[in-house]
Short mmCIF file of all heavy atoms in Angstrom, two decimals:
data_model
loop_
_atom_site.label_atom_id
_atom_site.label_comp_id
_atom_site.label_asym_id
_atom_site.label_seq_id
_atom_site.Cartn_x
_atom_site.Cartn_y
_atom_site.Cartn_z
N VAL A 181 98.43 191.56 171.91
CA VAL A 181 98.47 190.06 171.97
C VAL A 181 99.97 189.72 171.98
O VAL A 181 100.71 190.01 171.08
CB VAL A 181 97.76 189.43 170.74
CG1 VAL A 181 97.74 187.87 170.90
CG2 VAL A 181 96.35 189.99 170.62
N LEU A 182 100.32 189.00 173.08
CA LEU A 182 101.79 188.63 173.26
C LEU A 182 101.90 187.11 173.13
O LEU A 182 101.10 186.36 173.74
CB LEU A 182 102.23 189.06 174.64
CG LEU A 182 102.18 190.59 174.91
CD1 LEU A 182 102.51 190.87 176.34
CD2 LEU A 182 103.08 191.31 173.91
N ARG A 183 102.87 186.66 172.37
CA ARG A 183 103.08 185.19 172.15
C ARG A 183 104.03 184.67 173.22
O ARG A 183 105.04 185.30 173.53
CB ARG A 183 103.67 184.91 170.78
CG ARG A 183 103.87 183.43 170.46
CD ARG A 183 104.19 183.19 169.03
NE ARG A 183 103.13 183.44 168.18
CZ ARG A 183 102.07 182.66 167.96
NH1 ARG A 183 101.99 181.48 168.66
NH2 ARG A 183 101.09 182.98 167.15
N VAL A 184 103.70 183.57 173.84
CA VAL A 184 104.51 182.87 174.78
C VAL A 184 105.05 181.61 174.10
O VAL A 184 104.23 180.90 173.51
CB VAL A 184 103.75 182.51 176.07
CG1 VAL A 184 104.65 181.81 177.06
CG2 VAL A 184 103.10 183.76 176.65
N SER A 185 106.33 181.35 174.17
CA SER A 185 106.91 180.08 173.66
C SER A 185 107.80 179.52 174.76
O SER A 185 108.16 180.19 175.70
CB SER A 185 107.70 180.36 172.35
OG SER A 185 108.70 181.29 172.55
N SER A 186 108.18 178.27 174.53
CA SER A 186 108.91 177.50 175.57
C SER A 186 110.13 178.26 176.05
O SER A 186 110.34 178.34 177.29
CB SER A 186 109.26 176.09 175.07
OG SER A 186 108.03 175.36 174.90
N PRO A 187 111.00 178.82 175.20
CA PRO A 187 112.16 179.48 175.77
C PRO A 187 111.87 180.84 176.35
O PRO A 187 112.75 181.42 177.05
CB PRO A 187 113.09 179.63 174.56
CG PRO A 187 112.44 179.08 173.35
CD PRO A 187 111.00 178.80 173.78
N TYR A 188 110.62 181.43 176.11
CA TYR A 188 110.40 182.80 176.48
C TYR A 188 109.10 182.86 177.36
O TYR A 188 108.02 183.15 176.86
CB TYR A 188 110.22 183.64 175.26
CG TYR A 188 111.44 183.75 174.42
CD1 TYR A 188 111.49 183.03 173.20
CD2 TYR A 188 112.61 184.47 174.86
CE1 TYR A 188 112.64 183.08 172.39
CE2 TYR A 188 113.71 184.46 174.04
CZ TYR A 188 113.78 183.82 172.86
OH TYR A 188 114.89 183.81 172.01
N PRO A 189 109.23 182.60 178.64
CA PRO A 189 108.05 182.79 179.52
C PRO A 189 107.71 184.27 179.62
O PRO A 189 108.54 185.15 179.28
CB PRO A 189 108.54 182.27 180.89
CG PRO A 189 110.02 182.32 180.82
CD PRO A 189 110.39 182.13 179.37
N LEU A 190 106.45 184.55 179.98
CA LEU A 190 105.98 185.93 180.05
C LEU A 190 105.43 186.21 181.47
O LEU A 190 104.70 185.44 182.00
CB LEU A 190 104.84 186.08 179.03
CG LEU A 190 104.13 187.49 178.94
CD1 LEU A 190 105.12 188.46 178.39
CD2 LEU A 190 102.87 187.31 178.13
N SER A 191 105.76 187.38 181.99
CA SER A 191 105.18 187.80 183.30
C SER A 191 104.26 189.01 183.03
O SER A 191 104.63 189.94 182.23
CB SER A 191 106.30 188.20 184.30
OG SER A 191 107.05 187.09 184.65
N VAL A 192 103.08 188.96 183.67
CA VAL A 192 102.07 189.98 183.36
C VAL A 192 101.53 190.51 184.71
O VAL A 192 101.33 189.72 185.64
CB VAL A 192 100.90 189.34 182.58
CG1 VAL A 192 99.74 190.31 182.38
CG2 VAL A 192 101.36 188.80 181.26
N ASP A 193 101.28 191.80 184.81
CA ASP A 193 100.64 192.39 185.85
C ASP A 193 99.19 191.95 185.85
O ASP A 193 98.47 192.04 184.90
CB ASP A 193 100.71 193.89 185.81
CG ASP A 193 100.26 194.60 187.10
OD1 ASP A 193 99.04 194.42 187.46
OD2 ASP A 193 101.05 195.27 187.79
N PRO A 194 98.63 191.42 187.00
CA PRO A 194 97.26 190.96 187.01
C PRO A 194 96.26 192.02 186.64
O PRO A 194 95.21 191.67 186.05
CB PRO A 194 97.06 190.51 188.45
CG PRO A 194 98.46 190.24 188.99
CD PRO A 194 99.32 191.22 188.32
N GLY A 195 96.51 193.27 186.92
CA GLY A 195 95.61 194.30 186.58
C GLY A 195 95.49 194.56 185.06
O GLY A 195 94.56 195.19 184.58
N ALA A 196 96.49 194.11 184.29
CA ALA A 196 96.50 194.31 182.83
C ALA A 196 96.07 193.10 182.07
O ALA A 196 95.82 193.17 180.88
CB ALA A 196 97.95 194.74 182.39
N TYR A 197 95.97 191.97 182.79
CA TYR A 197 95.60 190.69 182.15
C TYR A 197 94.13 190.76 181.66
O TYR A 197 93.25 191.19 182.41
CB TYR A 197 95.80 189.51 183.13
CG TYR A 197 95.17 188.25 182.63
CD1 TYR A 197 95.90 187.43 181.73
CD2 TYR A 197 93.92 187.86 183.03
CE1 TYR A 197 95.32 186.20 181.27
CE2 TYR A 197 93.36 186.66 182.53
CZ TYR A 197 94.05 185.88 181.70
OH TYR A 197 93.45 184.72 181.19
N ILE A 198 93.87 190.23 180.46
CA ILE A 198 92.53 190.08 179.95
C ILE A 198 92.20 188.59 179.75
O ILE A 198 91.18 188.10 180.24
CB ILE A 198 92.33 190.80 178.59
CG1 ILE A 198 92.65 192.24 178.72
CG2 ILE A 198 90.89 190.62 178.14
CD1 ILE A 198 92.74 192.89 177.29
N ALA A 199 93.00 187.88 178.94
CA ALA A 199 92.67 186.58 178.52
C ALA A 199 93.89 185.80 178.00
O ALA A 199 94.92 186.43 177.76
CB ALA A 199 91.59 186.59 177.43
N HIS A 200 93.77 184.50 177.87
CA HIS A 200 94.83 183.75 177.13
C HIS A 200 94.23 182.46 176.50
O HIS A 200 93.19 182.02 176.88
CB HIS A 200 95.96 183.41 178.06
CG HIS A 200 95.71 182.35 179.07
ND1 HIS A 200 95.26 182.71 180.31
CD2 HIS A 200 95.86 181.01 179.07
CE1 HIS A 200 95.14 181.50 181.07
NE2 HIS A 200 95.49 180.53 180.31
N THR A 201 94.92 182.02 175.49
CA THR A 201 94.68 180.77 174.82
C THR A 201 95.88 179.95 174.68
O THR A 201 97.00 180.47 174.83
CB THR A 201 94.03 180.96 173.43
OG1 THR A 201 95.01 181.73 172.61
CG2 THR A 201 92.76 181.74 173.44
N GLY A 202 95.76 178.69 174.43
CA GLY A 202 96.91 177.83 174.19
C GLY A 202 97.23 176.94 175.37
O GLY A 202 96.48 176.88 176.37
N ASN A 203 98.34 176.26 175.24
CA ASN A 203 98.78 175.31 176.24
C ASN A 203 99.78 176.04 177.18
O ASN A 203 101.02 175.88 177.03
CB ASN A 203 99.44 174.08 175.59
CG ASN A 203 99.84 173.00 176.59
OD1 ASN A 203 99.28 173.00 177.68
ND2 ASN A 203 100.80 172.17 176.28
N LEU A 204 99.19 176.80 178.16
CA LEU A 204 99.99 177.61 179.03
C LEU A 204 99.79 177.22 180.47
O LEU A 204 98.68 176.95 180.88
CB LEU A 204 99.62 179.11 178.85
CG LEU A 204 99.97 179.78 177.53
CD1 LEU A 204 99.37 181.18 177.50
CD2 LEU A 204 101.47 179.80 177.33
N GLN A 205 100.94 177.15 181.17
CA GLN A 205 100.86 176.95 182.59
C GLN A 205 101.11 178.30 183.28
O GLN A 205 101.93 179.07 182.78
CB GLN A 205 101.94 175.93 183.09
CG GLN A 205 101.76 174.53 182.53
CD GLN A 205 102.20 174.41 181.10
OE1 GLN A 205 103.27 174.92 180.77
NE2 GLN A 205 101.42 173.79 180.26
N GLN A 206 100.31 178.59 184.30
CA GLN A 206 100.51 179.89 184.94
C GLN A 206 100.84 179.69 186.41
O GLN A 206 100.37 178.71 187.05
CB GLN A 206 99.29 180.76 184.79
CG GLN A 206 98.02 180.36 185.50
CD GLN A 206 97.20 179.30 184.73
OE1 GLN A 206 97.41 179.16 183.53
NE2 GLN A 206 96.34 178.64 185.43
N SER A 207 101.67 180.57 186.95
CA SER A 207 102.00 180.54 188.35
C SER A 207 102.12 181.99 188.80
O SER A 207 102.21 182.92 188.02
CB SER A 207 103.31 179.82 188.55
OG SER A 207 104.34 180.44 187.81
N PHE A 208 102.04 182.18 190.11
CA PHE A 208 102.15 183.51 190.67
C PHE A 208 103.52 183.71 191.26
O PHE A 208 104.06 182.89 191.94
CB PHE A 208 101.12 183.68 191.77
CG PHE A 208 99.69 183.69 191.28
CD1 PHE A 208 98.94 182.53 191.38
CD2 PHE A 208 99.17 184.79 190.61
CE1 PHE A 208 97.60 182.50 190.91
CE2 PHE A 208 97.88 184.73 190.06
CZ PHE A 208 97.13 183.64 190.22
N GLN A 209 104.13 184.91 190.93
CA GLN A 209 105.43 185.26 191.44
C GLN A 209 105.17 186.39 192.40
O GLN A 209 104.65 187.40 192.06
CB GLN A 209 106.31 185.75 190.40
CG GLN A 209 106.79 184.75 189.32
CD GLN A 209 107.63 185.40 188.27
OE1 GLN A 209 107.22 186.33 187.61
NE2 GLN A 209 108.84 184.89 188.14
N SER A 210 105.47 186.12 193.72
CA SER A 210 105.18 187.15 194.70
C SER A 210 106.46 187.90 195.01
O SER A 210 107.60 187.54 194.68
CB SER A 210 104.64 186.54 195.98
OG SER A 210 105.57 185.65 196.54
N GLY A 211 106.26 189.08 195.66
CA GLY A 211 107.40 189.85 196.15
C GLY A 211 107.79 190.98 195.25
O GLY A 211 108.48 191.92 195.73
N ILE A 212 107.40 190.98 194.01
CA ILE A 212 107.80 192.11 193.14
C ILE A 212 106.76 192.29 192.05
O ILE A 212 106.17 191.28 191.57
CB ILE A 212 109.18 191.93 192.53
CG1 ILE A 212 109.64 193.15 191.79
CG2 ILE A 212 109.20 190.69 191.57
CD1 ILE A 212 111.06 193.12 191.42
N ASN A 213 106.45 193.50 191.74
CA ASN A 213 105.75 193.74 190.46
C ASN A 213 106.21 195.08 189.92
O ASN A 213 107.10 195.70 190.47
CB ASN A 213 104.23 193.71 190.64
CG ASN A 213 103.63 194.98 191.32
OD1 ASN A 213 104.36 195.83 191.76
ND2 ASN A 213 102.34 194.99 191.37
N PHE A 214 105.71 195.47 188.78
CA PHE A 214 106.25 196.68 188.10
C PHE A 214 106.09 197.90 188.95
O PHE A 214 106.93 198.76 188.98
CB PHE A 214 105.57 196.82 186.73
CG PHE A 214 105.61 195.57 185.88
CD1 PHE A 214 104.46 195.09 185.28
CD2 PHE A 214 106.83 194.87 185.73
CE1 PHE A 214 104.54 193.97 184.49
CE2 PHE A 214 106.83 193.76 184.93
CZ PHE A 214 105.77 193.27 184.32
N ARG A 215 104.93 197.98 189.70
CA ARG A 215 104.72 199.13 190.47
C ARG A 215 105.65 199.21 191.72
O ARG A 215 106.04 200.26 192.15
CB ARG A 215 103.24 199.20 190.99
CG ARG A 215 102.28 199.53 189.84
CD ARG A 215 100.83 199.40 190.27
NE ARG A 215 100.55 197.95 190.39
CZ ARG A 215 99.33 197.49 190.50
NH1 ARG A 215 98.32 198.28 190.50
NH2 ARG A 215 99.10 196.21 190.68
N THR A 216 106.04 198.06 192.20
CA THR A 216 106.95 198.00 193.33
C THR A 216 108.28 198.71 192.92
O THR A 216 108.90 199.43 193.69
CB THR A 216 107.29 196.57 193.73
OG1 THR A 216 106.04 195.93 194.05
CG2 THR A 216 108.15 196.49 194.93
N LEU A 217 108.65 198.44 191.65
CA LEU A 217 110.01 198.98 191.21
C LEU A 217 109.99 200.51 191.12
O LEU A 217 111.00 201.15 191.27
CB LEU A 217 110.30 198.41 189.82
CG LEU A 217 110.53 196.92 189.81
CD1 LEU A 217 110.79 196.43 188.39
CD2 LEU A 217 111.77 196.54 190.67
N ILE A 218 108.82 201.11 190.91
CA ILE A 218 108.80 202.62 190.84
C ILE A 218 108.17 203.16 192.11
O ILE A 218 107.76 204.34 192.13
CB ILE A 218 108.01 203.05 189.56
CG1 ILE A 218 106.57 202.54 189.57
CG2 ILE A 218 108.77 202.63 188.33
CD1 ILE A 218 105.78 203.09 188.42
N GLY A 219 108.05 202.40 193.13
CA GLY A 219 107.66 202.95 194.40
C GLY A 219 106.19 203.13 194.61
O GLY A 219 105.82 203.85 195.52
N GLU A 220 105.34 202.53 193.79
CA GLU A 220 103.88 202.73 193.91
C GLU A 220 103.18 201.53 194.57
O GLU A 220 102.01 201.57 194.82
CB GLU A 220 103.26 203.02 192.55
CG GLU A 220 103.66 204.35 191.97
CD GLU A 220 102.96 204.63 190.66
OE1 GLU A 220 102.12 203.79 190.26
OE2 GLU A 220 103.20 205.72 190.07
N GLY A 221 103.91 200.43 194.81
CA GLY A 221 103.28 199.27 195.35
C GLY A 221 103.11 199.42 196.84
O GLY A 221 103.81 200.15 197.52
N SER A 222 102.16 198.60 197.34
CA SER A 222 102.01 198.55 198.82
C SER A 222 101.56 197.13 199.11
O SER A 222 100.85 196.50 198.35
CB SER A 222 100.99 199.55 199.32
OG SER A 222 99.70 199.26 198.73
N GLY A 223 101.97 196.61 200.26
CA GLY A 223 101.67 195.27 200.55
C GLY A 223 102.45 194.25 199.73
O GLY A 223 103.44 194.65 199.13
N GLU A 224 102.03 193.00 199.75
CA GLU A 224 102.76 192.02 198.99
C GLU A 224 102.21 191.96 197.54
O GLU A 224 101.01 191.72 197.36
CB GLU A 224 102.64 190.63 199.62
CG GLU A 224 103.45 189.59 198.82
CD GLU A 224 103.32 188.23 199.39
OE1 GLU A 224 102.56 187.97 200.36
OE2 GLU A 224 103.98 187.32 198.84
#
Side-chain angles (χ1 to χ4, degrees):
V181 184
L182 302 173
R183 181 170 295 281
V184 182
S185 60
S186 295
Y188 299 105
L190 178 71
S191 293
V192 176
D193 189 297
Y197 168 85
I198 304 171
H200 72 269
T201 59
N203 185 20
L204 292 174
Q205 296 77 46
Q206 68 277 344
S207 59
F208 293 102
Q209 294 178 303
S210 63
I212 188 170
N213 77 353
F214 307 131
R215 285 171 292 192
T216 304
L217 294 176
I218 57 174
E220 292 185 1
S222 62
E224 184 183 2

